[in-house]
């Protein structure tokens, strides 16, 4: 068994994803999911050789700890536990405090927890997951890898809000950006495709999943990104509204909506789901659109239009552009959405290569524009590998 295995944990408020990553190949030798935490049907599931297995958690008690304890048992049963050299944790928000991966100790846990105001759904859950993993693997070094860290290279003109500086100094209100590990990974892979050093490469990275963001990458560094103070800003997403006139919040509050109702509406009932009135799933939107559903058609058009608008605006942040990169669940697999976005960018010279677009799906990378036109490509993301590699590098530092 390899001595390059890192257990990657992504702990959410009601779930916990895990993967055992070989940092040499980038392959996940084991992956699984704990879900429905806090509910009677809480369960941990995993796949071995394509076969799914499940383990129900006790109705009472700490489900995060139970899930990690079950992962330990599973690793022991498979004879893998002794080969794990480190544990890497995904952390959504590092604020301005964390600009790179760090080894976890009590002070780091306290710092991550202190940033919970910036990510109330995520950071407290990360800390719970970290404590559970530290209890289960007391002898292993554990590392925190931050979604926001890649974007700490943004210039002040990109991260500063057009608001009183007091709001920044007192409360840290600014653009932070997310999906940093994904944008980092695909930009490094894309540099290989265009055969240039990363430090001389310029991309617009388009991460399209249930959460979605665009990132302008200049000479290998993030210089602007669409998500903001929280992951609600920027693009239209599965259930999130993206950019919206902030006065709408005041308007709804005056209409008698509670703060929680407004939060739930913008975060959980908007985006593809809200506009279509059907579903947050891109595949369901396209299927309904093909059957003539007006709400689904509008959701599709709006989604593609807003992505293209962001891509166009981010050309301002770059002196040159080597390629647009599509990645994540929708970006890697949805041929109609990529096709429509490129059609919306025709003023810039983009022309879809239909065969190339059809081939670059289901884990396959590839260029999806015609020769002698501006380049757009698909690069499957691998955030877990980034987390595992950065943990391994710090372990050996």
């Amino acid at each position: 068994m390899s001595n390059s295995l890192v257990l990657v944990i992504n702990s959410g408020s009601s779930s916990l994803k895990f993967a055992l990553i070989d940092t040499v190949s980038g392959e996940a030798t084991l992956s699984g999911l704990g879900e429905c935490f806090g509910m009677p049907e809480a369960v941990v599931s995993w796949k071995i050789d394509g076969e799914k297995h499940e383990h129900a958690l006790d109705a009472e008690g700490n489900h995060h700890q139970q899930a990690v304890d079950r992962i330990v048992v599973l690793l022991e049963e498979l004879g893998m536990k002794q080969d794990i050299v480190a544990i890497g944790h995904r952390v959504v928000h590092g604020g301005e405090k964390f600009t790179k991966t760090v080894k976890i100790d009590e002070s780091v846990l306290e710092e991550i927890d202190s940033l919970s105001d910036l990510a109330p759904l995520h950071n407290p859950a990360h800390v719970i997951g970290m404590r559970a993993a530290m209890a289960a693997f007391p002898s292993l070094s554990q590392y925190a890898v931050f979604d926001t860290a890649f974007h700490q290279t943004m210039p002040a003109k990109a991260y500063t809000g057009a608001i009183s500086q007091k709001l920044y100094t007192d409360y840290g209100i600014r653009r932070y950006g997310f999906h940093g590990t994904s944008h980092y990974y695909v930009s490094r892979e894309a540099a290989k495709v265009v055969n240039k050093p990363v430090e001389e490469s310029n991309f617009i990275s388009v991460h399209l999943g249930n959460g979605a963001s665009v990132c302008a990458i200049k000479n290998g560094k993030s210089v602007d990104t669409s998500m903001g103070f929280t992951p609600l800003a920027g693009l239209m997403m599965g259930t999130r509204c993206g950019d919206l006139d902030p006065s709408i919040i005041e308007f709804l509050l005056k209409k008698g909506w509670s703060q929680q109702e407004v939060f739930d509406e913008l975060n959980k009932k908007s985006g593809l789901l809200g506009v279509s009135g059907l579903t947050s799933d891109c595949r369901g939107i396209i299927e309904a659109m093909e059957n003539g559903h007006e709400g689904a058609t509008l959701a599709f058009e709006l989604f593609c239009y807003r992505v293209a608008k962001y891509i166009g605006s981010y050309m301002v942040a770059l002196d040159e552009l080597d390629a647009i990169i599509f990645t994540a669940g929708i970006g890697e697999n949805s041929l109609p959405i990529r096709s429509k976005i490129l059609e919306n960018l025709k003023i810039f010279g983009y022309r879809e290569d239909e065969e190339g677009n059809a081939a670059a799906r289901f884990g396959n990378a590839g260029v999806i524009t015609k020769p002698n036109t501006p380049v757009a490509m698909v690069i499957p993301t691998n955030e877990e590998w980034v987390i595992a590699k950065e943990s391994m590098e710090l372990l050996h530092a």
Side-chain angles (χ1 to χ4, degrees):
M1 183 65 69
S2 170
N3 62 351
S4 58
L5 295 180
V6 174
L7 178 63
V8 174
I9 293 177
N10 179 358
S11 180
S13 56
S14 61
S15 64
L16 187 148
K17 295 179 183 177
F18 66 94
L20 194 58
I21 303 295
D22 186 323
T23 55
V24 175
S25 67
E27 294 297 317
T29 58
L30 176 71
S31 63
L33 172 68
E35 55 190 332
C36 301
F37 291 1
M39 302 172 68
E41 57 267 31
V43 66
V44 176
S45 61
W46 62 92
K47 280 188 176 180
I48 299 175
D49 298 328
E51 185 178 344
K52 186 175 180 179
H53 302 263
E54 281 192 354
H55 173 80
L57 302 179
D58 293 338
E60 302 296 325
N62 182 335
H63 284 157
H64 287 84
Q65 186 68 60
Q66 287 185 44
V68 173
D69 290 343
R70 185 64 188 88
I71 293 166
V72 173
V73 172
L74 174 62
L75 292 168
E76 288 173 340
E77 290 172 348
L78 297 174
M80 295 177 171
K81 185 184 177 188
Q82 70 274 13
D83 296 305
I84 300 171
V85 295
I87 299 178
H89 295 265
R90 178 205 179 207
V91 182
V92 165
H93 218 309
E96 292 183 307
K97 171 70 177 179
F98 297 106
T99 60
K100 58 185 178 182
T101 298
V102 296
K103 185 176 181 180
I104 298 169
D105 57 22
E106 190 59 37
S107 65
V108 168
L109 286 172
E110 290 174 2
E111 289 278 4
I112 293 171
D113 200 33
S114 74
L115 294 167
S116 291
D117 278 353
L118 302 181
L121 297 180
H122 295 95
N123 276 35
H126 295 326
V127 173
I128 292 169
M130 289 173 191
R131 291 195 184 280
M134 291 168 80
F137 299 92
S139 64
L140 291 183
S141 295
Q142 311 213 13
Y143 302 92
V145 183
F146 299 89
D147 272 10
T148 48
F150 181 56
H151 303 300
Q152 285 295 304
T153 53
M154 285 191 293
K157 65 182 180 182
Y159 71 70
T160 303
I163 52 177
S164 164
Q165 280 292 290
K166 180 178 172 62
L167 295 178
Y168 171 52
T169 55
D170 289 1
Y171 303 113
I173 296 176
R174 52 157 284 181
R175 182 179 303 280
Y176 288 102
F178 302 91
H179 295 140
T181 51
S182 178
H183 293 303
Y184 170 88
Y185 175 81
V186 298
S187 61
R188 271 63 193 159
E189 293 300 302
K192 299 173 187 175
V193 178
V194 299
N195 197 28
K196 292 176 69 172
V198 169
E199 299 77 15
E200 299 171 14
S201 301
N202 302 277
F203 302 108
I204 295 175
S205 173
V206 186
H207 178 109
L208 302 179
N210 192 51
S213 67
V214 181
C215 181
I217 299 170
K218 185 175 185 177
N219 299 325
K221 295 180 178 180
S222 171
V223 292
D224 209 345
T225 191
S226 58
M227 283 181 168
F229 180 63
T230 74
L232 185 60
L235 300 178
M236 172 184 177
M237 305 177 217
T239 63
R240 292 177 226 161
C241 62
D243 290 342
L244 193 71
D245 182 343
S247 292
I248 292 169
I249 297 172
E250 178 192 26
F251 175 84
L252 292 174
L253 292 173
K254 284 182 175 179
K255 290 292 184 183
W257 288 48
S258 69
Q259 180 181 328
Q260 188 63 47
E261 285 173 329
V262 173
F263 177 88
D264 288 344
E265 183 69 28
L266 302 186
N267 279 278
K268 300 176 181 179
K269 300 178 182 179
S270 297
L272 292 173
L273 173 63
V275 175
S276 71
L278 284 177
T279 178
S280 63
D281 189 286
C282 169
R283 294 163 294 188
I285 293 291
I286 291 171
E287 182 180 348
M289 178 182 70
E290 290 171 348
N291 290 326
H293 191 280
E294 290 185 8
T297 302
L298 178 59
F300 174 87
E301 294 279 352
L302 183 55
F303 183 88
C304 297
Y305 175 64
R306 292 181 68 162
V307 172
K309 273 209 305 183
Y310 254 100
I311 293 171
S313 69
Y314 275 12
M315 293 185 185
V316 174
L318 305 174
D319 297 324
E320 58 182 274
L321 178 61
D322 292 304
I324 296 168
I325 310 165
F326 290 99
T327 194
I330 296 171
E332 293 171 26
N333 297 304
S334 182
L335 190 153
I337 281 181
R338 295 195 307 239
S339 179
K340 187 64 177 179
I341 291 168
L342 291 177
E343 181 185 322
N344 288 338
L345 293 169
K346 59 183 179 291
I347 191 171
F348 297 106
Y350 288 90
R351 298 292 182 270
E352 177 193 1
D353 177 342
E354 293 183 1
E355 287 187 9
N357 197 13
R361 300 174 75 192
F362 312 126
N364 295 317
V367 174
I368 62 172
T369 44
K370 291 183 176 179
N372 304 315
T373 67
V375 177
M377 65 176 72
V378 175
I379 302 285
T381 194
N382 194 338
E383 296 170 89
E384 289 81 10
W385 193 7
V386 174
I387 294 168
K389 285 184 74 173
E390 296 210 352
S391 299
M392 183 71 87
E393 287 169 9
L394 214 53
L395 176 68
H396 293 313

